[in-house]
Each structure stands twice: as structure tokens, then as C-alpha cells.
Amino acid sequence: MQEWGAVKKAWVVGERREHYEAETSIWKMVSRVFRERELQWIRTASEAFESASSELQSDNELVAKRIAGLAQLAQVGAHLLESMLEGEAVDSLPIKTVGELAKAARGDGEEP
């Protein structure tokens, strides 16, 4: 719970025992988890997609399109999460394209 910032140590004068105080701001807890865990996972995935894309042989167009879609989806996700954490207004255009990117990454609607 300390790692997530849900509680923190509190010193009480004259006490040797450890005391803890709960974080009262839900947003502080949630944003810390988003920043330290979720955003890192998105960045790691984005790097993996970029690496896979550069290593991919150009003869498999379907796989290349899917990897490109996943890379773009990760970039949009990172941008949205970073904007939210900074308290900025979130542009709705990337949100509208998330469904399209996910569909492209899955390869929906393509002929076999």
C-alpha cells in the first residue's frame, strides 16, 4: 500500500512503533498508479511494437499493418494518459480513432 501511495508513514513523538496515515485523495493514488505502472506498460509495449516493425520482413503486409496499428494505438494511449495526468484537456479525435486502430490491429474486416 505504501508503494501505491495509499498509506504513508507518520511519526508520532514519543512512539517507537510505526504509524501510518491513509492518503485521502483518491486522484493522487490513481494518478500515481497510472504514472508508475500503466504508462510504463504502454511505453514498453510501444517500444516492442516499434522494434518488431523494424525487424519485420517486408513480405508480410498483413502482419506489418497489424504491428503498425498496435504501435499507433499505444502512442494514442500514452498521449491520452499523459494528458489526463497533466490535467490537460483531452482531444477527442484520438479517442474516436482508438476503435479504428484496435480494429486494424486485430485485422477485422479484412479478406482472408
Side-chain angles (χ1 to χ4, degrees):
M1 291 186 77
Q2 276 183 291
E3 192 174 309
W4 286 0
V7 296
K8 61 183 175 183
K9 281 188 179 183
W11 303 105
V12 177
V13 177
E15 291 281 330
R16 293 177 53 154
R17 183 173 81 154
E18 291 182 345
H19 293 268
Y20 296 89
E21 291 179 351
E23 174 60 65
T24 57
S25 171
I26 296 296
W27 175 244
K28 282 185 181 179
M29 287 188 297
V30 170
S31 64
R32 183 173 291 123
V33 171
F34 281 165
R35 185 174 291 108
E36 294 176 7
R37 189 179 70 186
E38 311 305 330
L39 192 53
Q40 185 58 41
W41 285 348
I42 291 172
R43 288 179 177 152
T44 300
S46 183
E47 291 170 7
F49 297 141
E50 294 297 329
S51 175
S53 181
S54 66
E55 294 176 14
L56 184 67
Q57 296 178 357
S58 60
D59 61 341
N60 194 336
E61 186 179 334
L62 176 61
V63 173
K65 285 175 71 175
R66 287 183 180 180
I67 290 175
L70 287 168
Q72 194 174 12
L73 182 61
Q75 290 171 353
V76 168
H79 173 72
L80 291 173
L81 190 53
E82 288 166 350
S83 295
M84 182 184 73
L85 289 170
E86 295 300 319
E88 298 174 359
V90 176
D91 183 11
S92 64
L93 182 59
I95 295 171
K96 292 176 185 176
T97 61
V98 167
E100 295 168 10
L101 291 171
K103 185 177 178 180
R106 285 192 312 265
D108 292 354
E110 294 189 18
E111 298 287 328

